[in-house]
Amino acid sequence: MFIELNFKSTIPIYEQLKNEIIIGIAKGEISFGERLPSVRQLAGDIGINMHTVNKAYKQLEEEGFVSIHRQKGVVVNSEGPPTADKQYRLNLKTILKPMIANAFCRDIEQEEFVKIIEQIYVELEGRKNE
Amino acid sequence: MFIELNFKSTIPIYEQLKNEIIIGIAKGEISFGERLPSVRQLAGDIGINMHTVNKAYKQLEEEGFVSIHRQKGVVVNSEGPPTADKQYRLNLKTILKPMIANAFCRDIEQEEFVKIIEQIYVELEGRKNE
Amino acid sequence: MFIELNFKSTIPIYEQLKNEIIIGIAKGEISFGERLPSVRQLAGDIGINMHTVNKAYKQLEEEGFVSIHRQKGVVVNSEGPPTADKQYRLNLKTILKPMIANAFCRDIEQEEFVKIIEQIYVELEGRKNE
Amino acid sequence: MFIELNFKSTIPIYEQLKNEIIIGIAKGEISFGERLPSVRQLAGDIGINMHTVNKAYKQLEEEGFVSIHRQKGVVVNSEGPPTADKQYRLNLKTILKPMIANAFCRDIEQEEFVKIIEQIYVELEGRKNE
DNA sequence: GTGGTCTAGACCACA
DNA sequence: GTGGTCTAGACCACG
């Protein structure tokens, strides 16, 4: 898995890192039960601070993606995060709404937006069967 | 147009305000050429800092949604923001990807996600004909 | 509210701090809606690092005791943390069991243990009516 | 006696092991004078590190629950650990206080808390007469 | 060797 | 002035 970070972005590094890992899990590039690199190793590899990696890992644990063992390190949960509930869907909609409103003002119609979604789903599922 | 702000949210107030206005424009609740409330008035109505409203307005201007005139005040552009270009689409995809990956891990399949998108489009377009 | 920390204890400082604040809330010494000292101020007062205070505050937020606003600071929630559910009670029992087993081996009978519990409840409620 | 360990818990394994043994002693499942399994055997049975078992045993010895003899192995003391003194009671209260404050904030009143304590005492004493 | 904790000090976004 | 983020480097508990 390649991890690309944009240090100029306003999105916090730990957030970007989280996102990359979640994408990796969704794609199946990181298998259930697999160990993620140790906090210090990953930090060294990417060239960021240990604590930044730690923050990303901790939040992934909170959201149910991984389990952190003091000795074994960080392991991808086999069950994964809890299935989406009403609250999650509502939240998702709240975040999507202004994004879509913006896109809509820029002449991106429903068909095109849906096509983008489909593309991303293909990208995620595509590599899952490798 | 109702403006609802969540002061407990981690999303900055000016960002939420921007979003609400963009949604209003997309819905057609705010017509092209229409004047938005003055910085002072809106800040007073919502009970937030003037600087915050100002920041939202300035960014809306930068993105092409409104024009700020010294005398006329803040006016919704008739042409609207520039049509989405490659860069915009790429950016959109970059933001959507981790969101979808996350949803996917929580068992939201493509069909459901698309349905949510469609719902939002309906909500935006629906009131446009009022 | 006095905050006493034991720097020699194996219990992490942020944990002790959390405990002291929770006791303060339970006693009613800290009222709902009241602001806690800023991260830096409390850190300075106690003579510990800012990040340690921050960790305590963040965990109190997660557990529903307080809300953290970027500008207003940290405020005690009026609703407080979620009412105890089955999981919480089960957990409580799991933690208490070895403690009681240990006390029992040291000849602390049920009556005495209950008396200690009652004493603590009195201490908590006592000052609430001041 | 069944020993159940939760490897995902933040509570150290040796601590959990200690707790389980103390509960066993309190229940009377492990009789005074009885030999505990050897370090090597217990470690093998549960599938944990020998050092971990060793640490648990050593601490149990320090606290007066068992005696470790080079030849006889680890034996449960007939007198048991020293009767609770003032210091022990004070310590117990210090640990219980934040737990109770927390439970109190979650609407667990004195009566219910006491009932939980009583339940645990029953569980411990119940099997003692088997 | 792993994560957990703590410190010290810096810069930034927000309002 | 508030919390948020990030860095750097230290010591410790665990197994």
Side-chain angles (χ1 to χ4, degrees), chain C residues 19 22-23 25-27 63 65 81-84 88-89 92-93 95-110 112-114 116-121 123-125 128, chain D residues 19 22-23 25-27 63 65 81-84 88-89 92-93 95-110 112-114 116-121 123-125 128:
Chain C
N19 285 341
I22 291 174
I23 290 173
I25 293 175
K27 276 186 178 172
E63 297 177 26
F65 287 96
T83 297
Y88 180 85
R89 280 165 231 267
L92 189 61
K93 225 174 145 178
I95 297 170
L96 283 169
K97 200 164 184 175
M99 286 176 60
I100 292 180
N102 195 317
F104 184 59
C105 290
R106 294 168 192 276
D107 302 328
I108 294 187
E109 300 291 337
Q110 181 179 317
E112 188 183 352
F113 204 101
V114 166
I116 294 175
I117 301 296
E118 288 171 352
Q119 272 177 29
I120 297 174
Y121 263 98
E123 283 174 28
L124 294 181
E125 303 214 44
K128 214 180 175 177
Chain D
N19 286 341
I22 291 174
I23 291 174
I25 293 175
K27 278 187 177 172
E63 296 178 28
F65 285 95
T83 296
Y88 181 84
R89 278 165 231 268
L92 189 60
K93 223 175 147 178
I95 297 169
L96 283 170
K97 201 165 183 174
M99 285 177 60
I100 291 178
N102 196 317
F104 185 59
C105 289
R106 294 170 193 273
D107 302 329
I108 293 189
E109 301 292 339
Q110 181 178 317
E112 189 184 351
F113 204 101
V114 167
I116 293 174
I117 301 296
E118 289 170 351
Q119 271 175 29
I120 297 174
Y121 264 97
E123 283 174 30
L124 293 180
E125 303 210 42
K128 216 179 175 177

Side-chain angles (χ1 to χ4, degrees), chain D residues 46-57:
Chain D
I46 317 183
I48 60 177
N49 196 302
M50 271 176 47
H51 298 313
T52 310
V53 177
N54 211 295
K55 189 163 187 177
Y57 278 176

